[in-house]
């Protein structure tokens, strides 16, 4: 158990999250950029993505599509992702429980 170890934060937390995603899913998405804007040291990008996602443990393959928003900040001359939001653009399947 990890209860006595500190939780991962920052870059390590992000690496751990992506490791988990790519060991459990096969993601095959195409991204289409809809809008971008840059203002000094901040920028944003709006996109849509669509494709297939397979759950590796079960082999279940589903068609997916998302709306994406990425916020960038320039730090020491390099662009870094500050925030990445995505949400399914498929209609819901019922009332949330």
């Amino acid at each position: 158990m990890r209860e006595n170890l500190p939780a991962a934060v920052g870059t390590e937390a992000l690496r751990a999250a992506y490791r988990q995603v790519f060991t459990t899913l096969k993601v095959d998405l195409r991204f289409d950029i809809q809008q971008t804007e840059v203002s000094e040291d901040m920028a944003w990008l709006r996109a849509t993505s669509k494709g297939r996602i397979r759950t590796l443990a079960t082999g279940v393959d589903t068609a997916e599509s998302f709306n994406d928003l990425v916020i960038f900040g320039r730090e020491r001359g390099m662009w870094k992702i500050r925030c990445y939001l995505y949400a399914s653009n498929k209609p819901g399947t019922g009332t949330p429980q």
Side-chain angles (χ1 to χ4, degrees):
M1 296 187 86
R2 291 187 43 144
E3 51 191 72
N4 292 330
L5 299 175
V9 296
T11 302
E12 274 310 307
L14 188 59
R15 280 190 182 117
Y18 275 97
R19 256 188 243 111
Q20 176 68 23
V21 166
F22 292 115
T23 58
T24 60
L25 302 173
K26 179 178 188 248
V27 178
D28 184 15
L29 298 172
R30 176 187 170 176
F31 291 81
D32 292 309
I33 296 171
Q34 306 298 316
Q35 279 181 291
T36 60
E37 187 171 324
V38 177
S39 179
E40 298 180 19
D41 288 336
M42 295 294 292
W44 62 271
L45 156 87
R46 186 177 66 82
T48 56
S49 55
K50 136 191 301 195
R52 304 202 65 78
I53 297 177
R54 176 179 295 142
T55 302
L56 297 174
T58 63
V60 173
D61 194 45
T62 58
E64 298 292 345
S65 57
F66 301 94
N67 292 309
D68 308 276
L69 177 64
V70 187
I71 310 288
F72 300 91
R74 189 171 15 215
E75 297 175 13
R76 293 183 229 108
M78 296 179 59
W79 288 103
K80 307 261 182 163
I81 295 173
R82 301 281 307 262
C83 181
Y84 174 53
L85 303 170
Y86 66 95
S88 175
N89 61 17
K90 295 182 350 182
T93 57
T95 304
Q97 300 295 317

